[in-house]
């Protein structure tokens, strides 16, 4: 992932939706292999992934799956990452990460296990609501200070109307959405996808602008030639 805000659209079920998300500027698409209204076979995910630009991160989403099965599925489907969205232990997560190039480990907001995130060996920490995929927003204060923001991905109830607030409040490395940009389960709404990505990127730009402004010396501060 690059240093810009990472936008992942999850619950992809068709090539058309995957290409739609990419065309609007998504950095990643997620395929759900766990029981869900958006669950698809690994072979379909593989077929879709082959049609996407190589710079797009393709993510297989699993919940309480055997680590060996996770690795096999991701590798056979030709995906770039695994997202573990269940009660996977630190040992199981680290085992998967040792065999795959990138792993996202998800936790419910407020989970005390988040304090041990470093033990899991995952690249990114995703914080979601208590019921993943429900579209429920969690109290963002529960995600404050729980991890290095450069490794934090926020999910759970995000949609075009609130993603800017999430980016401004938490300044995460990325945002992840599924139901918040759908017209029906498993079908993405073009306008919602576009607005979600635009609003997220705009918020990121505004945050960066404010940060840059706050770093400038005020009239009360002495000039330091080393800043030039």
């Amino acid at each position: 992932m690059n240093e810009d805000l990472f936008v992942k659209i999850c619950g992809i079920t068709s090539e058309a939706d995957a290409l739609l998300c990419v065309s609007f500027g998504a950095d990643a698409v997620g395929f759900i292999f766990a029981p869900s209204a958006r669950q698809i076979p690994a072979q379909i995910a593989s077929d879709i992934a082959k049609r996407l630009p190589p710079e797009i991160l393709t993510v297989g989403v699993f919940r309480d799956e055997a680590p060996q099965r996770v690795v096999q599925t991701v590798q056979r489907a030709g995906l770039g990452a695994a997202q573990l969205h269940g009660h996977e232990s630190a040992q199981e997560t680290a085992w998967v990460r040792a065999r795959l190039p990138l792993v996202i480990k998800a936790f419910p907001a407020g989970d005390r296990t988040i304090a041990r995130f470093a033990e899991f060996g995952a690249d990114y920490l995703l914080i979601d609501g208590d019921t993943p995929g429900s579209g429920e927003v969690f109290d963002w204060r529960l995600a404050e200070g729980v991890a290095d923001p450069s490794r934090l991905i926020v999910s759970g109830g995000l949609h075009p109307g609130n993603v800017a607030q999430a980016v401004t409040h938490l300044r995460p490395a990325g945002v992840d959405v599924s139901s918040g940009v759908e017209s029906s389960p498993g079908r993405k709404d073009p306008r919602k996808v576009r607005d979600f990505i635009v609003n997220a990127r705009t918020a990121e730009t505004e945050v960066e602008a404010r940060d840059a402004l706050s770093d400038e010396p005020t009239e009360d501060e002495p000039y330091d030639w080393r800043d030039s």
Side-chain angles (χ1 to χ4, degrees):
M1 298 184 190
N2 56 37
E3 294 183 357
D4 296 330
L5 182 72
F6 175 78
V7 178
K8 173 174 170 278
I9 310 296
C10 203
I12 297 296
T13 61
S14 70
E15 179 182 334
D17 277 353
L19 293 173
L20 170 77
C21 295
V22 170
S23 71
F24 282 130
D27 300 292
V29 294
F31 306 104
I32 298 178
F33 299 137
S36 164
R38 303 166 185 84
Q39 182 180 19
I40 63 172
Q43 184 57 55
I44 292 180
S46 176
D47 292 341
I48 296 172
K50 291 174 184 176
R51 307 284 188 180
L52 302 180
E55 66 272 17
I56 300 301
L57 182 66
T58 50
V59 184
V61 181
F62 303 84
R63 184 168 63 245
D64 298 324
E65 184 62 83
Q68 295 86 345
R69 178 71 173 170
V70 171
V71 172
Q72 289 173 358
T73 302
V74 169
Q75 291 178 340
R76 289 177 180 174
L79 305 183
Q83 181 172 311
L84 305 181
H85 228 297
H87 300 88
E88 299 84 4
S89 68
Q91 293 75 17
E92 290 171 331
T93 304
W95 191 93
V96 171
R97 179 59 183 86
R99 292 158 177 81
L100 295 179
L102 191 146
V103 169
I104 300 168
K105 180 67 184 83
F107 297 90
D111 191 327
R112 288 179 293 180
T113 312
I114 293 174
R116 297 174 39 236
F117 172 67
E119 300 175 19
F120 287 74
D123 300 273
Y124 291 90
L125 162 67
L126 184 146
I127 296 186
D128 202 345
D130 289 333
T131 309
S134 66
E136 297 176 0
V137 181
F138 68 86
D139 184 344
W140 291 331
R141 290 175 296 182
L142 294 173
E144 293 175 356
V146 301
D148 177 355
S150 68
R151 301 180 69 184
L152 174 65
I153 298 175
V154 179
S155 187
L158 295 182
H159 53 72
N162 67 7
V163 66
Q165 286 180 280
V167 171
T168 301
H169 188 92
L170 294 171
R171 304 189 180 192
V175 290
D176 187 5
V177 65
S178 181
S179 62
V181 293
E182 290 182 335
S183 56
S184 61
R187 296 192 62 182
K188 303 309 178 192
D189 182 299
R191 181 174 296 180
K192 290 180 180 179
V193 171
R194 180 200 63 194
D195 290 352
F196 182 89
I197 295 174
V198 168
N199 293 347
R201 301 276 187 223
T202 300
E204 176 196 25
T205 300
E206 292 175 350
V207 166
E208 291 176 346
R210 284 198 295 270
D211 287 347
L213 191 61
S214 66
D215 289 338
E216 293 182 1
T218 65
E219 293 182 359
D220 296 330
E221 294 177 339
Y223 173 74
D224 190 334
W225 61 268
R226 290 172 296 184
D227 293 333
S228 301

